[in-house]
Amino acid sequence: MSNNQINHKVPLSGRLSYGLTDGCGNLLYCIIGSYLLYFYTDVFGLSVATAGAILLFTRLLDAIDAPIWGFIVDHTKSKYGQSRPYFLWLCVPFAVFMWLTFTTPALSGTTKIIYAVVTYILAGIFYTGIQTAITSILPNLTRRPGERVILNTFRMVGGNIGAFICMTFTLPLVAFFGEGNEQKGFSYTLAFFGIIAIVLFIVAFKNLREVNVEKIKSIPIKDSVKAIKGNWPWILVVIANLIFWIALTIRLSTVVYYCQYYLGDKSLTVFINGIMLVQVIGMISIPLLVKRFNKYGTMILGFILVAGGHMGIFFVGTNIELMIVFWIIASLGQGIACSMPFAMLSDTVDFGEWKTGIRASGFLTAIGSAFCIKAGSGIGGFIPAAVMNLFGYVPNAVQSSTALFGIQFVFTWLPAIIFLCGIILMLFYRKYEQNENNILLDLAKRNS
């Protein structure tokens, strides 16, 4: 490793293209976190218990492919690079199976459930490949920690814009394309988003370059697994990220229920989801926050803000104005807490190489990102469905007072409690972050 590689700065076109990758992924995949539970229960025609079971089963089963994709990336050697080619190879199948997931065929009974399971799993498999490439390419774009934070900020801002477009315009586009038929509307909307995502993934593929990737050797699977041994910062980041995605999925998937049944106005969903764009402020501020509070402290700040925002929403009840204020606070925290693990994972790849001599960027980042997102979304989709079912929720019906309390609880206190658990892990991460510069210098000496 040369000093030029340590100090390599990615050009603006590369930074913007890295932002496009997560923007495209979120443009499609965030529809799952925000609307799939609603789609299954109120559009596709499944009971809330069945929908919740599908979300849990498929996500946990599908999450197994995360380490497999990591192994695949670690063994990839092509003229395009190690991680970069997957933006080109996977963008079309990812878009197609996302479209099929939100398309309602003329099926019934068990056959309909099997269709939902198969399409959801396949969409998730291809998303894992895309997500693994997005995260694993970061350590290979630059060795410079500060540059990685900047690149990750571009990624998170791009991802947030993709998520904002998805969550804000999905329901209006469903109404526009469907003309009163939500089944038709969801199918056409996903096709529209899919075409956009394919084009932008290809643009990102053309503009990104991996540094010195031709010298990265393929490593046996058993060596990839060995990169975990003693890699405590990686373990802490993975658990914290899993906790975040469980809570985030609960937060996002219950907005539509909270607005429709507790606040009595489903149209508020679009407005409230749109407000989440303020999380870009949190993302943009991360380089400054990291300089002031370090990475672990910035992550803790994000957890505190998003948890406090949800607790505040509970106490203001149906006061929409105050609810929006606390929703903004939570969104700022979400932007911060969502961004940090992806930047920190690159540092744990360095730690793993320093500790074991094995640089398994694909394997470590696949579990730290795609596995956490998918397992977290599965668990986070199941929990509110199970709780609402326990409290007596019935789709497309007037809800009992007990069911309304259940909806309020899963939207406010449940995610808040889970978010707060992540703080404990970051307190332990502190000592590892303090040693990062020494690790980089030591690696530079070994590889010179």
Side-chain angles (χ1 to χ4, degrees):
M1 188 196 309
S2 67
N3 288 331
N4 287 337
Q5 290 159 9
I6 294 177
N7 297 317
H8 175 69
K9 184 177 180 181
V10 178
L12 180 60
S13 61
R15 292 176 175 181
L16 292 172
S17 294
Y18 192 52
L20 279 182
T21 60
D22 213 36
C24 297
N26 283 358
L27 179 65
L28 291 174
Y29 200 73
C30 279
I31 297 177
I32 285 180
S34 299
Y35 295 113
L36 187 59
L37 180 59
Y38 170 77
F39 174 79
Y40 277 163
T41 59
D42 290 38
V43 180
F44 198 73
L46 301 177
S47 69
V48 68
T50 301
I54 289 176
L55 291 175
L56 178 64
F57 169 75
T58 55
R59 285 300 83 182
L60 293 181
L61 178 64
D62 187 27
I64 297 173
D65 69 354
I68 295 175
W69 275 112
F71 294 138
I72 292 173
V73 170
D74 281 337
H75 286 78
T76 298
K77 296 197 74 173
S78 75
K79 64 180 181 180
Y80 301 126
Q82 185 179 59
S83 302
R84 174 176 165 247
Y86 290 98
F87 302 144
L88 178 65
W89 296 340
L90 300 182
C91 61
V92 173
F94 172 48
V96 168
F97 281 101
M98 281 298 302
W99 166 66
L100 290 174
T101 298
F102 283 88
T103 297
T104 306
L107 302 173
S108 61
T110 303
T111 307
K112 193 172 187 178
I113 295 175
I114 292 174
Y115 173 87
V117 171
V118 172
T119 54
Y120 186 24
I121 286 178
L122 289 174
I125 287 174
F126 288 111
Y127 172 73
T128 303
I130 290 277
Q131 181 61 220
T132 299
I134 293 172
T135 308
S136 64
I137 198 175
L138 180 56
N140 296 335
L141 291 176
T142 178
R143 288 274 196 170
R144 188 178 179 182
E147 182 67 17
R148 287 174 178 173
V149 172
I150 293 172
L151 279 167
N152 193 64
T153 299
F154 272 84
R155 172 191 175 174
M156 291 296 112
V157 172
N160 186 74
I161 292 172
F164 167 76
I165 294 172
C166 156
M167 292 184 290
T168 303
F169 296 105
T170 291
L171 291 183
L173 285 173
V174 167
F176 173 76
F177 287 127
E179 298 177 330
N181 183 339
E182 285 196 318
Q183 292 183 350
K184 174 184 174 183
F186 268 102
S187 182
Y188 281 27
T189 299
L190 266 294
F192 176 67
F193 283 157
I195 292 171
I196 295 174
I198 290 171
V199 173
L200 295 182
F201 266 125
I202 293 174
V203 171
F205 163 79
K206 288 184 175 181
N207 288 333
L208 287 171
R209 294 292 183 273
E210 294 177 80
V211 177
N212 204 38
V213 73
E214 69 276 2
K215 294 185 179 180
I216 297 177
K217 298 179 179 179
S218 296
I219 56 177
I221 293 177
K222 64 178 182 179
D223 285 348
S224 293
V225 176
K226 286 181 182 178
I228 297 177
K229 185 178 180 180
N231 197 338
W232 284 106
W234 177 83
I235 293 172
L236 292 170
V237 171
V238 168
I239 298 175
N241 204 23
L242 178 62
I243 286 174
F244 172 81
W245 282 97
I246 291 173
L248 178 65
T249 302
I250 295 173
R251 163 178 161 82
L252 298 181
S253 64
T254 54
V255 173
V256 62
Y257 295 100
Y258 190 79
C259 291
Q260 180 172 350
Y261 296 108
Y262 187 80
L263 298 179
D265 188 355
K266 181 181 175 181
S267 64
L268 281 172
T269 306
V270 175
F271 176 68
I272 290 174
N273 279 335
I275 293 175
M276 274 206 302
L277 186 62
V278 300
Q279 69 177 310
V280 170
I281 298 174
M283 294 174 175
I284 293 175
S285 66
I286 284 176
L288 295 176
L289 292 174
V290 168
K291 288 181 179 179
R292 176 66 179 85
F293 301 110
N294 296 313
K295 281 174 283 207
Y296 82 93
T298 302
M299 184 73 170
I300 288 175
L301 176 63
F303 277 133
I304 291 174
L305 289 175
V306 70
H310 274 267
M311 288 187 284
I313 291 173
F314 173 82
F315 289 110
V316 301
T318 56
N319 188 318
I320 296 176
E321 289 78 11
L322 288 178
M323 178 216 166
I324 290 173
V325 171
F326 283 109
W327 181 257
I328 290 173
I329 293 173
S331 296
L332 290 171
Q334 175 184 315
I336 295 170
C338 179
S339 303
M340 291 309 303
F342 298 100
M344 297 162 81
L345 281 170
S346 295
D347 300 323
T348 67
V349 171
D350 293 335
F351 186 92
E353 182 182 6
W354 175 75
K355 186 79 175 179
T356 66
I358 300 168
R359 187 169 183 82
S361 58
F363 178 70
L364 294 180
T365 58
I367 296 179
S369 59
F371 173 82
C372 291
I373 293 171
K374 294 167 72 175
S377 64
I379 298 170
F382 169 76
I383 292 175
V387 174
M388 288 194 298
N389 185 57
L390 181 66
F391 279 88
Y393 169 78
V394 180
N396 297 309
V398 177
Q399 306 300 322
S400 66
S401 58
T402 303
L404 288 175
F405 176 76
I407 291 172
Q408 184 188 28
F409 175 78
V410 298
F411 181 67
T412 56
W413 280 107
L414 187 57
I417 293 170
I418 297 174
F419 278 126
L420 289 174
C421 292
I423 295 175
I424 300 172
L425 297 162
M426 288 298 99
L427 292 175
F428 286 101
Y429 185 85
R430 177 183 178 181
K431 69 175 183 178
Y432 297 105
E433 183 176 350
Q434 292 173 338
N435 199 36
E436 284 177 0
N437 288 333
N438 292 333
I439 289 173
L440 283 175
L441 291 173
D442 194 24
L443 286 175
K445 292 178 182 178
R446 292 185 194 178
N447 297 325
S448 61

